[in-house]
Amino acid sequence: MPEELDPLADPIMLDLIGFMTGIVEMRKTDGRAEDEDLLDAVGILASQLAPPSFAISGTMTNEQLGKEISDRLSGHLLRLIACFGYLFTELAAVNDNDAVQVTTASLLRQMSLEIKQRSGDA
C-alpha cells in the first residue's frame, strides 16, 4: 500500500476511531437519546471526513469539470476506504480470534495510540 494510503499514518483514522469509540460507549446505554446521539455523531463524522474544498474554473467544459472533480475526490475517497477497511479488518480479526481477550474499546485506544506515536515520529 502506498505511504499516502497507510491507514495508521492517516489523520482520518483518528476521526474514525473517535467515532467508533463513541458508538461503543453509546451502545452501553439505553434510551431514546441514543438515536439522537448517534445522528449527531454521524453528522460530526461526516463533517470531519468531508473532502477539502477546491476552486473550479468557470471556463471548463463538462468533461474537464468531471475530470477535475474526479481527480480531486478520488484520492480522498481512497483514503477513506483504506481507513474503513483497515479498521474493520482489525476489529474483525480480534473478534474472530477466541484466544485474544480484548474489548473493542481497548483495541480502538491501542490503535489510536499507535497512530499518535507514528505521527509524532514523522
Side-chain angles (χ1 to χ4, degrees), residues 89-100:
T89 56
E90 287 296 301
L91 291 170
V94 169
N95 183 63
D96 293 346
N97 187 347
D98 292 334
V100 176

Side-chain angles (χ1 to χ4, degrees), residues 66-86:
K67 182 171 178 358
E68 182 70 15
I69 292 172
S70 176
D71 290 347
R72 297 289 184 137
L73 297 181
S74 64
H76 188 73
L77 291 174
L78 287 174
R79 288 174 59 206
L80 288 173
I81 292 166
C83 288
F84 272 114
Y86 184 86

Side-chain angles (χ1 to χ4, degrees), residues 18-86:
F19 173 76
M20 294 300 294
T21 303
I23 297 300
V24 168
E25 292 302 316
M26 252 186 259
R27 293 196 56 157
K28 292 179 181 177
T29 64
D30 292 327
R32 293 193 79 139
E34 183 178 327
D35 291 340
E36 290 178 22
D37 291 344
L38 178 61
L39 287 175
D40 289 343
V42 169
I44 291 168
L45 180 67
S47 66
Q48 290 171 327
L49 300 182
S53 60
F54 56 93
I56 296 175
S57 168
T59 61
M60 290 181 168
T61 66
N62 288 341
E63 291 79 18
Q64 291 170 325
L65 179 61
K67 182 171 178 358
E68 182 70 15
I69 292 172
S70 176
D71 290 347
R72 297 289 184 137
L73 297 181
S74 64
H76 188 73
L77 291 174
L78 287 174
R79 288 174 59 206
L80 288 173
I81 292 166
C83 288
F84 272 114
Y86 184 86

